[in-house]
């Protein structure tokens, strides 16, 4: 919906402290957001108010100051680090004579540039339309003449109603398409639940290093860049660790302060990966002096989508910038609670793998599976999941497998194949004759 020019836009940034001084870190983050959208900040105007001004939000005096600075710097755009009502946005534009964009509109613009998958683009367009629906009037103010009475009727309201109807129709179309995609995702989750596979979701504040960690952990080619919202589209990969059931690792969209509600609603499919996870890897920029507040802001979003009760393992990333060694932190019961590491440098990655093995490997056990020839599909499924650690043939054409998995997972696989668990599963054999597959990678190759 928002056409971006090929060149950058000279922008005035505005940040008002409501009942509190303006924080330097908040200003720096807003400048990073502006640059991520392609803007060129030429000046930052700050101020403070007890409550927002109903007409301009920033107050009439500050609005005049912004107009003067726009004229002096030849700025083309005014970015306001707050949510503006449609009337406040229109009033500021009328006074300043430049386009005004609030925080929600700026983040939506960034998302529109970064979404790559078909689903991500649909989600962004839906969020933009919902945001734009309340602002349609400003495009047709010259036609607003229908007030009633002879000589006062005009086409303005009719055109606005047509626009709203077209936008509403497009919103319904996008919602239906996204609902269909969501059902497809739910089908995939239902399959994972039928054959239980532990899932881990990577969450955190934007630019904390989530995609770098995802790439280092899974070996995927996820896009990585030092910018806010570098990646938006969900990514799910399998992770195989020795003596541990296969894990599903999901990378999610980064959170940010005052994330627009339209985006939280639109990106429900990505965020559901976090809500349905067994463990959250909460990635934190350890070099950020305000990381305590970032943690709280991420937890607020997680609570809002129903992911608050899910256990978290804190990943304090970027320790290479602090000169601090990697470290695994445990609670009083000896359970892993935090890891200080660097995903980019690879420092502490083995500590993370150890923590995942410790968390999910407790349920894994070695068992023997005796399969007759007609159950070759279950054999193939066990190999596909990387659960086989050894195999030997028997005289009737069947096979004996040594598998390493949780009893719950094996019961589900047997139920899916229509086999009675107790008839084929027994304690692990110690006799020889087995072809050994020492780890998941080897069994997968076999």
């Amino acid at each position: 919906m928002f056409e971006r020019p090929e060149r950058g836009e000279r922008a005035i940034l505005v940040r008002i402290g409501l009942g509190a001084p303006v924080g330097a870190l908040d200003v720096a983050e807003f400048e990073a957001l502006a640059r991520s959208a392609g803007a060129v900040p030429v000046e930052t105007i700050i101020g403070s108010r007890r409550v927002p001004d109903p007409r301009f939000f920033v107050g009439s005096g500050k609005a005049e100051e912004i107009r003067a600075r726009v004229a002096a710097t030849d700025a083309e755009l005014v970015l306001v680090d707050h949510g503006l009502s449609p009337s406040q946005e229109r009033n500021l534009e009328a006074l300043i004579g430049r386009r005004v964009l609030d925080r929600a509109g700026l983040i939506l613009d960034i998302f529109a540039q970064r979404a790559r998958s078909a689903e991500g683009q649909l989600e962004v367009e839906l969020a933009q339309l919902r945001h734009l629906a309340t602002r349609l009037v400003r495009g047709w103010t010259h036609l607003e003449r229908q007030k009633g009475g002879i000589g006062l009727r005009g086409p303005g309201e009719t055109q606005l109603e047509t626009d709203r109807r077209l936008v509403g129709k497009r919103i319904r179309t996008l919602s239906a398409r996204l609902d269909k995609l969501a059902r497809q995702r739910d089908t995939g989750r239902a399959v994972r639940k039928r054959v239980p596979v532990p899932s881990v979701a990577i969450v955190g504040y934007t630019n904390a290093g989530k995609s770098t960690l995802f790439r280092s952990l899974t070996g995927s080619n996820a896009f990585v860049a030092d910018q806010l919202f570098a990646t938006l589209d969900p990514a799910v990969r399998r992770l195989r660790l020795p003596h541990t059931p296969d894990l599903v690792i999901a990378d999610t969209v980064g959170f940010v302060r005052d994330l627009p509600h339209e985006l939280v609603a639109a990106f429900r499919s990505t965020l559901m990966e976090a809500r349905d996870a067994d463990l959250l890897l909460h990635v934190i920029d350890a070099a950020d002096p305000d990381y305590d507040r970032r943690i709280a802001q991420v937890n607020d979003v997680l609570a809002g989508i129903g992911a608050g009760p899910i256990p978290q393992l804190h990943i304090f990333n970027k320790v290479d910038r602090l000169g601090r060694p990697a470290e695994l932190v445990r609670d009083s019961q000896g359970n892993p609670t935090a890891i200080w590491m660097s995903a980019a440098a690879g420092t502490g990655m083995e500590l993370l793998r150890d923590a995942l093995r410790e968390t999910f490997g407790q349920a894994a056990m070695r068992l023997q599976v005796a399969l007759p020839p007609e159950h070759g599909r279950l054999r193939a499924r066990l190999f596909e999941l990387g659960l086989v650690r050894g195999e030997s043939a028997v005289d009737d054409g069947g096979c004996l497998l040594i598998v390493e998995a949780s009893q719950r997972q094996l019961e589900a696989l047997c139920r899916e194949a229509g086999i009675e668990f107790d008839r084929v599963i027994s304690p692990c054999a110690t006799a020889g004759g087995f072809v050994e597959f020492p780890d998941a990678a080897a069994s997968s190759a076999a």
Side-chain angles (χ1 to χ4, degrees):
M1 295 298 298
F2 298 130
E3 294 292 336
R4 301 294 304 170
E6 294 183 1
R7 61 185 177 84
E9 295 187 27
R10 295 170 57 81
I12 294 284
L13 310 186
V14 179
R15 169 74 184 172
I16 303 297
L18 297 176
V22 175
L25 292 175
D26 288 339
V27 172
E29 180 192 88
F30 191 55
E31 288 180 356
L33 280 174
R35 295 184 188 279
S36 295
V40 179
V42 295
E43 188 168 335
T44 300
I45 297 175
I46 62 174
S48 61
R49 288 186 62 85
R50 189 169 55 86
V51 294
D53 177 68
R55 185 181 179 193
F56 295 116
F57 185 90
V58 298
S60 56
K62 187 62 67 175
E64 289 290 346
E65 179 185 346
I66 295 170
R67 181 172 69 166
R69 297 312 304 159
V70 164
T73 59
D74 196 25
E76 304 161 307
L77 176 67
V78 174
L79 301 175
V80 182
D81 191 18
H82 304 276
L84 300 178
S85 69
S87 62
Q88 289 169 338
E89 202 170 289
R90 288 196 304 273
N91 292 336
L92 279 172
E93 286 189 339
L95 176 68
I96 298 169
R98 295 290 190 276
R99 187 158 59 98
V100 175
L101 204 60
D102 68 354
R103 182 180 179 86
L106 177 62
I107 294 176
L108 282 168
D109 186 87
I110 297 172
F111 274 48
Q113 297 179 61
R114 303 285 166 76
R116 292 292 179 266
S117 69
E119 183 178 10
Q121 291 171 354
L122 289 175
E123 288 171 327
V124 170
E125 184 181 354
L126 178 60
Q128 285 182 315
L129 287 172
R130 286 174 171 165
H131 182 73
L132 190 63
T134 59
R135 288 160 165 79
L136 281 174
V137 63
R138 74 184 193 181
W140 295 94
T141 50
H142 63 292
L143 295 177
E144 284 189 282
R145 295 181 54 198
Q146 186 169 344
K147 302 178 182 177
I150 296 173
L152 294 177
R153 297 183 180 89
E157 185 175 356
T158 302
Q159 182 63 63
L160 287 172
E161 288 176 346
T162 301
D163 287 350
R164 291 191 180 108
R165 185 164 54 253
L166 291 174
V167 169
K169 181 179 179 180
R170 181 62 176 165
I171 286 175
R172 289 191 295 273
T173 300
L174 291 175
S175 298
R177 292 172 66 181
L178 285 170
D179 286 341
K180 182 178 179 180
L181 290 172
R183 287 193 297 271
Q184 293 173 351
R185 283 186 175 273
D186 289 341
T187 300
R189 292 191 186 99
V191 171
R192 295 207 299 261
K193 290 178 180 178
R194 195 163 62 241
V195 181
V197 178
S199 61
V200 178
I202 301 177
V203 301
Y205 209 78
T206 183
N207 209 32
K210 299 182 305 302
S211 294
T212 303
L213 178 66
F214 180 76
R215 188 171 186 169
S216 299
L217 194 58
T218 65
S220 80
N221 58 350
F223 176 71
V224 174
D226 185 16
Q227 55 185 221
L228 303 187
F229 302 118
T231 53
L232 300 178
D233 300 312
V236 179
R237 297 289 186 275
R238 178 187 296 174
L239 177 64
R240 291 177 171 175
L241 297 172
H243 311 299
T244 306
D246 281 7
L247 306 178
V248 171
I249 307 292
D251 188 16
T252 63
V253 63
F255 301 152
V256 73
R257 171 178 56 87
D258 299 332
L259 189 67
H261 294 294
E262 298 95 334
L263 288 177
V264 175
F267 279 78
R268 64 187 185 279
S269 61
T270 304
L271 297 175
M272 288 309 99
E273 296 291 348
R275 194 188 69 177
D276 295 339
D278 297 297
L279 176 70
L280 300 178
L281 297 184
H282 185 164
V283 183
I284 302 152
D285 184 352
D288 183 351
D290 205 25
Y291 70 72
D292 285 334
R293 191 153 65 103
R294 304 298 186 223
I295 293 173
Q297 289 161 348
V298 170
N299 287 334
D300 286 343
V301 177
L302 291 173
I305 64 172
I310 298 175
Q312 293 187 19
L313 179 62
H314 283 182
I315 307 298
F316 289 92
N317 193 25
K318 306 182 184 180
V319 296
D320 50 323
R321 299 185 180 181
L322 303 176
R324 173 173 177 159
E327 180 186 3
L328 172 60
V329 181
R330 301 178 181 273
D331 61 15
S332 56
Q333 284 77 42
N335 300 314
T337 59
I339 298 174
W340 292 78
M341 59 173 292
S342 171
T347 307
M349 286 300 302
E350 195 55 41
L351 293 177
L352 174 56
R353 293 189 178 93
D354 289 343
L356 292 174
R357 279 194 292 265
E358 188 173 334
T359 302
F360 294 102
Q362 297 171 352
M365 59 182 71
R366 285 210 168 197
L367 297 169
Q368 179 175 284
V369 182
L371 294 180
E374 61 268 24
H375 292 308
R377 179 171 294 183
L378 177 56
R379 174 187 176 277
R381 183 75 171 128
L382 291 169
F383 271 99
E384 179 188 355
L385 293 173
L387 305 178
V388 180
R389 299 294 178 265
E391 179 181 26
S392 67
V394 294
D395 294 338
D396 63 357
C399 64
L400 286 176
L401 302 176
I402 296 176
V403 300
E404 193 170 82
S406 67
Q407 181 172 326
R408 178 185 172 207
Q409 188 174 20
L410 288 175
E411 286 176 345
L413 288 167
C414 289
R415 187 167 55 251
E416 186 183 55
I419 303 174
E420 293 184 23
F421 175 81
D422 293 335
R423 294 187 61 181
V424 298
I425 307 294
S426 61
C428 183
T430 57
F434 283 88
V435 177
E436 292 290 337
F437 304 112
D439 54 36
S443 60
S444 174

